[in-house]
Amino acid sequence: MSKAGAPSLTVDAAGLRVAVVAASWHDQVMGGLLDGARRALSGAGVTDVTEVRVPGSFELPVACARLARAGGYDALVALGVVIRGGTPHFDYVCSAATDGLTRVSVDTGIPVGFGVLTCDDEQQALDRAGLPGSGEDKGHEAAAAALATVVALRQVEGVRASA
Ligand code: DLZ
């Protein structure tokens, strides 16, 4: 996907409680994604942040589902790095993560920022990791999207409640 057309998402999200769930594969790229998510959260005024590490991207949906159902979180941010290898494994892990995180979000009503990179090679991942020299900052984007969704829904729900 092209980054052309990406919105600039800046919201005041002070007071929100957020969990960041991160897989553990591809350490350098994941470090960049985590730093980007942290920057987005602190820039929006979020101070109540829980970070959870899981083994791989396949485990992101179950961890997010448990946290969402435990209650208390306004938004979740899921971070993973999946790099294509020589077998169809890549497709299964990407589908499981994507479908699973979509289900968690829709079924629980808690926005889940999707920060899972699905790349053909490591260079593509580095280009999106928010590291010095990267063109994109997908950890930041995922966290900002989750916060913006919470704030947008609260505005609509607040308007309806007072109508
Ligand atoms: C097994 C595997 C492979 C080959 N590659 C990745 C990857 O690039 N990124 C990632 O996040 N996880 C990978 N995994 C691990 C799976 O996500 C999962 O942790 C294992 O299959 C155990 O359930």
Side-chain angles (χ1 to χ4, degrees), residues 23 25-26 55-59 81-83 89 93:
W25 280 65
H26 309 292
S57 295
F58 185 82
E59 284 74 36
V81 184
V82 195
I83 298 182
H89 201 88
V93 172

Side-chain angles (χ1 to χ4, degrees), residues 34-126:
L34 272 167
D35 283 346
R38 291 175 187 136
R39 263 186 283 105
L41 296 173
S42 70
V46 178
T47 55
D48 191 342
V49 180
T50 301
E51 291 189 7
V52 180
R53 298 304 294 265
V54 295
S57 295
F58 185 82
E59 284 74 36
L60 290 171
V62 69
C64 286
R66 289 280 285 270
L67 291 169
R69 295 205 175 100
Y73 294 104
D74 300 295
L76 304 174
V77 182
L79 303 177
V81 184
V82 195
I83 298 182
R84 191 184 290 279
T87 72
H89 201 88
F90 172 86
D91 301 294
Y92 291 111
V93 172
C94 292
S95 299
T98 308
D99 296 347
L101 292 171
T102 304
R103 261 182 62 193
V104 172
S105 183
V106 172
D107 290 356
T108 65
I110 295 179
V112 179
F114 184 72
V116 182
L117 300 183
T118 57
C119 298
D120 287 330
D121 55 44
E122 190 181 20
Q123 189 56 52
Q124 284 186 350
L126 288 167

Side-chain angles (χ1 to χ4, degrees), residues 149-163:
T149 305
V150 176
V151 170
L153 291 171
R154 285 192 171 187
Q155 280 167 358
V156 173
E157 286 157 3
V159 168
R160 290 215 162 163
S162 60

